[in-house]
Structure formats: C-alpha cells, structure tokens
Amino acid sequence: MTISTFFAAERSRTDLGAIQTRLADLQRQVASGYKSDTLSGYGEASGRLLSVRGILANSEQRASAARTIEPRLSLQAGALREHSEAISGLRQAVLDAVINRDGAALETIAASRFQQSRTALSQQYDGAFLFSGERVDASPIRVNTLAELAARGDAATAFNTADRPQSFDLGDGEAVNLAPLAGDVAEEFFSVALDLQQFIDAQGGLGAELTDAQIATLNAFLPRLEEARVSAGDAEARNGILQQRVEAVRIQEEQRVTLFTGTLGRIADADLADVSARIGVARSQFEAVATLFSELRDLSLLNFLR
C-alpha cells in the first residue's frame, strides 16, 4: 500500500467514525423526540430554553392551583345561597304572620329555616369544613337546633371556628381568604332567630290570632332580618367575585401553558421528518465510505501495478 493510499484509508476510517457518531445522535433524536439530551447540546439556545421552562412551570402551577380551588368555590356558592334563602324564608314567614295576624306556623318555620342555614354552613369539601377557618377538622356550629341556640342565650357562643379564615395562594405571592368564617356570615341571623324563639317561648307559643302587641314585636324583627339577608348577599357576592378571579387566572395560565409549550417545542423538539431524511443521507454516506475504506485497505502496491 502506498503512502497516499494509507492516508486515504485513514481518512476514510475517520469519516466512518464521524458518520457513525452522527447516525447515533440522529437515532437518539428519533427515540427521545428532542434535539439534545443535555442542556449544553442546545448551545446559545440553552439560556432561552431555561427561561421558557421556568415560565411554563410557573404557569402550570398557577393553573393547577386554580383548577383545584374552583370546585370548592362552587360548593361555597351553593352553601351561601342556601343560607341566604333560609334568611329570606324566615323573613317572609314573619311578614306573613304579621299580615295575616296568624303565628301558628311561625315556630316550625323558624326551626326549619335555622336548620337550613346550619346545614349549609356545616358543609365539607374534601374532608374539610368550608366555614371553620383554619380549624378545618371541626364543625363551625356547636348547636344542632334552634331550641339549643335559644337555650344558650348568646348567638356568638354557637360558633366553633378558628380566629382566621383559610387562605390560599394562586402563585403570585398574595394570600387570598378562601371562605368567610361561619360566625362572620351567620351570627346576625342566628341572633335574630334566637330572639324570635325566645319571644315565642315567652308567649307560650303563638296562636292563629295574634295580638297587637305580638304583631308589633314581630314587626321589629323584619328590619333585622333584612340586614341579615343583605349581609348574606354580600358574602355571596364576594364569593362570586373570587370565583371569577380564579377562573380568569386559570384561563390565562392555561393559555400561557399552551403558548410556552409550543415555544419550548420549537426550541427543544427534534424535527422528525428532517431527522429521518438526514438518517437516510448519513446511511448512504456510511455505505459509500465503508466500501471505499474496504477497497483501500485491501489495496497493495502489487495490486496497484497489476
């Protein structure tokens, strides 16, 4: 083998190694779907890749937090609506008794509406009481009936909540109160219901023919019940505003996830059609160089002279 043939053979050997390395990388891209399996493999794009990954992770976290909290806020909306309806129902019952001068059914209705409110505010989500504040494992209301509440004599003692409401963070560092405390929502109504029950008890019950004095007393409950109804409505409205805010965050962050997932893909994902074409070219080159190398390796000066 001549010196020039020797160097040609060595060059072919080097080319074969380079083509094999390129083929291995292209096959890895097909298997993984990514241009590189190391950050350094992206070269100048590595900084942008890290930045996009950070933004994407943050948006995914915020979207997940919003999705987690939305069902609870929906349940709270229903509970607060039930509480408001309980107050409105009792107010209407008192008004009907005054108009019709008939209080025979009022005690039963009052007990029923109190129970409606109590049940609504004692609801749980995922094992945690909605309106107990940070004391999530304890019912927010100590009494079971209006009669028990009247026996206590003080509506404030009927509640068993933590000092602070539960809060959550959507990922922007701002803590938001998740739900009001039961006492903040219902103490005003419980106080009215307590006084009404004590009045009925003091009268020995109310009959079908109310006296003027009894009507005057019942009339005095109406503005208090209206104030309680307005307060409950405000709590409903605040929950609705929070629902809208959480929904807006979820939609925004889901859109950002879609956007930056696409951006990440354009940076990191391999173009499989292009990679497949390059594999075909590399295999053809490998076969050609391998053939040449085989011929050069077997070539000797004697063979050349022949």
PDB file of all heavy atoms in Angstrom, residues 12-13 15-16 19 23 280-296:
ATOM      1  N   SER A  12     -10.646   7.726   5.457  1.00  0.00           N
ATOM      2  CA  SER A  12     -11.932   7.028   5.344  1.00  0.00           C
ATOM      3  C   SER A  12     -12.367   6.465   6.695  1.00  0.00           C
ATOM      4  O   SER A  12     -13.541   6.495   7.065  1.00  0.00           O
ATOM      5  CB  SER A  12     -11.827   5.901   4.311  1.00  0.00           C
ATOM      6  OG  SER A  12     -11.566   6.421   3.031  1.00  0.00           O
ATOM      7  N   ARG A  13     -11.382   5.940   7.463  1.00  0.00           N
ATOM      8  CA  ARG A  13     -11.690   5.408   8.793  1.00  0.00           C
ATOM      9  C   ARG A  13     -12.247   6.527   9.688  1.00  0.00           C
ATOM     10  O   ARG A  13     -13.224   6.337  10.411  1.00  0.00           O
ATOM     11  CB  ARG A  13     -10.432   4.817   9.422  1.00  0.00           C
ATOM     12  CG  ARG A  13     -10.703   4.103  10.756  1.00  0.00           C
ATOM     13  CD  ARG A  13      -9.395   3.908  11.516  1.00  0.00           C
ATOM     14  NE  ARG A  13      -8.423   3.172  10.726  1.00  0.00           N
ATOM     15  CZ  ARG A  13      -8.344   1.845  10.709  1.00  0.00           C
ATOM     16  NH1 ARG A  13      -9.180   1.127  11.423  1.00  0.00           N
ATOM     17  NH2 ARG A  13      -7.406   1.254   9.982  1.00  0.00           N
ATOM     18  N   ASP A  15     -13.697   9.294   8.697  1.00  0.00           N
ATOM     19  CA  ASP A  15     -15.023   9.676   8.195  1.00  0.00           C
ATOM     20  C   ASP A  15     -16.093   8.690   8.661  1.00  0.00           C
ATOM     21  O   ASP A  15     -17.210   9.089   9.020  1.00  0.00           O
ATOM     22  CB  ASP A  15     -15.012   9.728   6.662  1.00  0.00           C
ATOM     23  CG  ASP A  15     -14.220  10.921   6.132  1.00  0.00           C
ATOM     24  OD1 ASP A  15     -13.931  11.841   6.945  1.00  0.00           O
ATOM     25  OD2 ASP A  15     -13.899  10.937   4.932  1.00  0.00           O
ATOM     26  N   LEU A  16     -15.750   7.411   8.662  1.00  0.00           N
ATOM     27  CA  LEU A  16     -16.704   6.394   9.134  1.00  0.00           C
ATOM     28  C   LEU A  16     -17.082   6.640  10.593  1.00  0.00           C
ATOM     29  O   LEU A  16     -18.251   6.545  10.979  1.00  0.00           O
ATOM     30  CB  LEU A  16     -16.098   5.000   8.986  1.00  0.00           C
ATOM     31  CG  LEU A  16     -16.140   4.367   7.596  1.00  0.00           C
ATOM     32  CD1 LEU A  16     -15.388   3.031   7.606  1.00  0.00           C
ATOM     33  CD2 LEU A  16     -17.581   4.159   7.139  1.00  0.00           C
ATOM     34  N   ILE A  19     -19.403   9.654  10.795  1.00  0.00           N
ATOM     35  CA  ILE A  19     -20.753   9.337  10.312  1.00  0.00           C
ATOM     36  C   ILE A  19     -21.502   8.474  11.330  1.00  0.00           C
ATOM     37  O   ILE A  19     -22.694   8.667  11.576  1.00  0.00           O
ATOM     38  CB  ILE A  19     -20.680   8.632   8.947  1.00  0.00           C
ATOM     39  CG1 ILE A  19     -20.119   9.588   7.886  1.00  0.00           C
ATOM     40  CG2 ILE A  19     -22.068   8.154   8.522  1.00  0.00           C
ATOM     41  CD1 ILE A  19     -19.811   8.910   6.558  1.00  0.00           C
ATOM     42  N   LEU A  23     -24.950   9.401  13.048  1.00  0.00           N
ATOM     43  CA  LEU A  23     -26.095   8.487  12.974  1.00  0.00           C
ATOM     44  C   LEU A  23     -26.648   8.176  14.364  1.00  0.00           C
ATOM     45  O   LEU A  23     -27.860   8.139  14.581  1.00  0.00           O
ATOM     46  CB  LEU A  23     -25.676   7.178  12.283  1.00  0.00           C
ATOM     47  CG  LEU A  23     -25.890   7.101  10.774  1.00  0.00           C
ATOM     48  CD1 LEU A  23     -25.269   5.826  10.228  1.00  0.00           C
ATOM     49  CD2 LEU A  23     -27.383   7.152  10.439  1.00  0.00           C
ATOM     50  N   GLY A 280     -31.250   8.953   6.434  1.00  0.00           N
ATOM     51  CA  GLY A 280     -31.102   8.296   5.137  1.00  0.00           C
ATOM     52  C   GLY A 280     -29.841   8.725   4.418  1.00  0.00           C
ATOM     53  O   GLY A 280     -29.107   7.886   3.846  1.00  0.00           O
ATOM     54  N   VAL A 281     -29.573  10.033   4.438  1.00  0.00           N
ATOM     55  CA  VAL A 281     -28.357  10.549   3.807  1.00  0.00           C
ATOM     56  C   VAL A 281     -27.115   9.993   4.491  1.00  0.00           C
ATOM     57  O   VAL A 281     -26.147   9.560   3.834  1.00  0.00           O
ATOM     58  CB  VAL A 281     -28.350  12.093   3.843  1.00  0.00           C
ATOM     59  CG1 VAL A 281     -27.003  12.634   3.379  1.00  0.00           C
ATOM     60  CG2 VAL A 281     -29.472  12.654   2.977  1.00  0.00           C
ATOM     61  N   ALA A 282     -27.125   9.987   5.841  1.00  0.00           N
ATOM     62  CA  ALA A 282     -25.959   9.519   6.598  1.00  0.00           C
ATOM     63  C   ALA A 282     -25.696   8.031   6.334  1.00  0.00           C
ATOM     64  O   ALA A 282     -24.534   7.603   6.225  1.00  0.00           O
ATOM     65  CB  ALA A 282     -26.170   9.761   8.087  1.00  0.00           C
ATOM     66  N   ARG A 283     -26.758   7.246   6.202  1.00  0.00           N
ATOM     67  CA  ARG A 283     -26.569   5.816   5.930  1.00  0.00           C
ATOM     68  C   ARG A 283     -25.960   5.612   4.544  1.00  0.00           C
ATOM     69  O   ARG A 283     -25.085   4.744   4.358  1.00  0.00           O
ATOM     70  CB  ARG A 283     -27.904   5.094   6.042  1.00  0.00           C
ATOM     71  CG  ARG A 283     -28.334   4.844   7.481  1.00  0.00           C
ATOM     72  CD  ARG A 283     -29.720   4.247   7.546  1.00  0.00           C
ATOM     73  NE  ARG A 283     -30.064   3.890   8.927  1.00  0.00           N
ATOM     74  CZ  ARG A 283     -31.292   3.566   9.317  1.00  0.00           C
ATOM     75  NH1 ARG A 283     -32.302   3.578   8.437  1.00  0.00           N
ATOM     76  NH2 ARG A 283     -31.513   3.247  10.589  1.00  0.00           N
ATOM     77  N   SER A 284     -26.419   6.405   3.582  1.00  0.00           N
ATOM     78  CA  SER A 284     -25.847   6.301   2.231  1.00  0.00           C
ATOM     79  C   SER A 284     -24.378   6.678   2.250  1.00  0.00           C
ATOM     80  O   SER A 284     -23.532   6.011   1.616  1.00  0.00           O
ATOM     81  CB  SER A 284     -26.621   7.214   1.264  1.00  0.00           C
ATOM     82  OG  SER A 284     -27.964   6.792   1.149  1.00  0.00           O
ATOM     83  N   GLN A 285     -24.065   7.757   2.980  1.00  0.00           N
ATOM     84  CA  GLN A 285     -22.662   8.174   3.087  1.00  0.00           C
ATOM     85  C   GLN A 285     -21.836   7.096   3.768  1.00  0.00           C
ATOM     86  O   GLN A 285     -20.692   6.823   3.369  1.00  0.00           O
ATOM     87  CB  GLN A 285     -22.570   9.486   3.871  1.00  0.00           C
ATOM     88  CG  GLN A 285     -23.144  10.686   3.137  1.00  0.00           C
ATOM     89  CD  GLN A 285     -23.153  11.942   4.001  1.00  0.00           C
ATOM     90  OE1 GLN A 285     -23.128  11.856   5.231  1.00  0.00           O
ATOM     91  NE2 GLN A 285     -23.195  13.096   3.355  1.00  0.00           N
ATOM     92  N   PHE A 286     -22.405   6.481   4.812  1.00  0.00           N
ATOM     93  CA  PHE A 286     -21.679   5.446   5.550  1.00  0.00           C
ATOM     94  C   PHE A 286     -21.370   4.261   4.638  1.00  0.00           C
ATOM     95  O   PHE A 286     -20.249   3.727   4.636  1.00  0.00           O
ATOM     96  CB  PHE A 286     -22.503   4.991   6.753  1.00  0.00           C
ATOM     97  CG  PHE A 286     -21.813   3.962   7.595  1.00  0.00           C
ATOM     98  CD1 PHE A 286     -20.922   4.340   8.582  1.00  0.00           C
ATOM     99  CD2 PHE A 286     -22.035   2.598   7.381  1.00  0.00           C
ATOM    100  CE1 PHE A 286     -20.276   3.395   9.355  1.00  0.00           C
ATOM    101  CE2 PHE A 286     -21.389   1.650   8.151  1.00  0.00           C
ATOM    102  CZ  PHE A 286     -20.516   2.046   9.136  1.00  0.00           C
ATOM    103  N   GLU A 287     -22.349   3.854   3.847  1.00  0.00           N
ATOM    104  CA  GLU A 287     -22.150   2.705   2.963  1.00  0.00           C
ATOM    105  C   GLU A 287     -21.079   3.023   1.917  1.00  0.00           C
ATOM    106  O   GLU A 287     -20.225   2.183   1.605  1.00  0.00           O
ATOM    107  CB  GLU A 287     -23.470   2.347   2.283  1.00  0.00           C
ATOM    108  CG  GLU A 287     -24.496   1.751   3.244  1.00  0.00           C
ATOM    109  CD  GLU A 287     -25.859   1.585   2.591  1.00  0.00           C
ATOM    110  OE1 GLU A 287     -25.995   1.912   1.392  1.00  0.00           O
ATOM    111  OE2 GLU A 287     -26.792   1.140   3.300  1.00  0.00           O
ATOM    112  N   ALA A 288     -21.113   4.259   1.382  1.00  0.00           N
ATOM    113  CA  ALA A 288     -20.138   4.632   0.354  1.00  0.00           C
ATOM    114  C   ALA A 288     -18.728   4.676   0.934  1.00  0.00           C
ATOM    115  O   ALA A 288     -17.761   4.159   0.324  1.00  0.00           O
ATOM    116  CB  ALA A 288     -20.510   5.992  -0.242  1.00  0.00           C
ATOM    117  N   VAL A 289     -18.571   5.295   2.094  1.00  0.00           N
ATOM    118  CA  VAL A 289     -17.256   5.405   2.716  1.00  0.00           C
ATOM    119  C   VAL A 289     -16.758   4.040   3.167  1.00  0.00           C
ATOM    120  O   VAL A 289     -15.557   3.726   3.047  1.00  0.00           O
ATOM    121  CB  VAL A 289     -17.300   6.401   3.901  1.00  0.00           C
ATOM    122  CG1 VAL A 289     -15.964   6.404   4.640  1.00  0.00           C
ATOM    123  CG2 VAL A 289     -17.626   7.795   3.406  1.00  0.00           C
ATOM    124  N   ALA A 290     -17.677   3.211   3.685  1.00  0.00           N
ATOM    125  CA  ALA A 290     -17.281   1.876   4.121  1.00  0.00           C
ATOM    126  C   ALA A 290     -16.764   1.058   2.943  1.00  0.00           C
ATOM    127  O   ALA A 290     -15.778   0.300   3.052  1.00  0.00           O
ATOM    128  CB  ALA A 290     -18.465   1.167   4.779  1.00  0.00           C
ATOM    129  N   THR A 291     -17.423   1.184   1.798  1.00  0.00           N
ATOM    130  CA  THR A 291     -16.976   0.469   0.594  1.00  0.00           C
ATOM    131  C   THR A 291     -15.592   0.953   0.169  1.00  0.00           C
ATOM    132  O   THR A 291     -14.697   0.153  -0.148  1.00  0.00           O
ATOM    133  CB  THR A 291     -17.989   0.683  -0.547  1.00  0.00           C
ATOM    134  OG1 THR A 291     -19.255   0.169  -0.151  1.00  0.00           O
ATOM    135  CG2 THR A 291     -17.522  -0.026  -1.812  1.00  0.00           C
ATOM    136  N   LEU A 292     -15.413   2.263   0.155  1.00  0.00           N
ATOM    137  CA  LEU A 292     -14.126   2.845  -0.216  1.00  0.00           C
ATOM    138  C   LEU A 292     -13.025   2.397   0.740  1.00  0.00           C
ATOM    139  O   LEU A 292     -11.919   2.030   0.322  1.00  0.00           O
ATOM    140  CB  LEU A 292     -14.222   4.371  -0.234  1.00  0.00           C
ATOM    141  CG  LEU A 292     -12.919   5.129  -0.538  1.00  0.00           C
ATOM    142  CD1 LEU A 292     -12.395   4.754  -1.925  1.00  0.00           C
ATOM    143  CD2 LEU A 292     -13.145   6.637  -0.417  1.00  0.00           C
ATOM    144  N   PHE A 293     -13.340   2.412   2.045  1.00  0.00           N
ATOM    145  CA  PHE A 293     -12.349   2.014   3.044  1.00  0.00           C
ATOM    146  C   PHE A 293     -11.938   0.560   2.848  1.00  0.00           C
ATOM    147  O   PHE A 293     -10.762   0.209   2.946  1.00  0.00           O
ATOM    148  CB  PHE A 293     -12.908   2.222   4.444  1.00  0.00           C
ATOM    149  CG  PHE A 293     -12.004   1.731   5.531  1.00  0.00           C
ATOM    150  CD1 PHE A 293     -10.833   2.417   5.860  1.00  0.00           C
ATOM    151  CD2 PHE A 293     -12.294   0.564   6.218  1.00  0.00           C
ATOM    152  CE1 PHE A 293      -9.986   1.949   6.846  1.00  0.00           C
ATOM    153  CE2 PHE A 293     -11.452   0.100   7.211  1.00  0.00           C
ATOM    154  CZ  PHE A 293     -10.298   0.790   7.532  1.00  0.00           C
ATOM    155  N   SER A 294     -12.901  -0.288   2.542  1.00  0.00           N
ATOM    156  CA  SER A 294     -12.616  -1.704   2.344  1.00  0.00           C
ATOM    157  C   SER A 294     -11.704  -1.901   1.140  1.00  0.00           C
ATOM    158  O   SER A 294     -10.749  -2.707   1.187  1.00  0.00           O
ATOM    159  CB  SER A 294     -13.915  -2.476   2.138  1.00  0.00           C
ATOM    160  OG  SER A 294     -13.646  -3.848   1.888  1.00  0.00           O
ATOM    161  N   GLU A 295     -11.991  -1.136   0.094  1.00  0.00           N
ATOM    162  CA  GLU A 295     -11.163  -1.252  -1.102  1.00  0.00           C
ATOM    163  C   GLU A 295      -9.749  -0.748  -0.837  1.00  0.00           C
ATOM    164  O   GLU A 295      -8.756  -1.366  -1.265  1.00  0.00           O
ATOM    165  CB  GLU A 295     -11.804  -0.468  -2.243  1.00  0.00           C
ATOM    166  CG  GLU A 295     -13.120  -1.083  -2.727  1.00  0.00           C
ATOM    167  CD  GLU A 295     -13.809  -0.214  -3.777  1.00  0.00           C
ATOM    168  OE1 GLU A 295     -13.331   0.926  -3.995  1.00  0.00           O
ATOM    169  OE2 GLU A 295     -14.812  -0.666  -4.344  1.00  0.00           O
ATOM    170  N   LEU A 296      -9.615   0.376  -0.154  1.00  0.00           N
ATOM    171  CA  LEU A 296      -8.296   0.945   0.137  1.00  0.00           C
ATOM    172  C   LEU A 296      -7.495   0.062   1.074  1.00  0.00           C
ATOM    173  O   LEU A 296      -6.266  -0.053   0.966  1.00  0.00           O
ATOM    174  CB  LEU A 296      -8.445   2.345   0.742  1.00  0.00           C
ATOM    175  CG  LEU A 296      -8.972   3.433  -0.206  1.00  0.00           C
ATOM    176  CD1 LEU A 296      -9.244   4.725   0.572  1.00  0.00           C
ATOM    177  CD2 LEU A 296      -7.964   3.697  -1.332  1.00  0.00           C
TER     178      LEU A 296
END
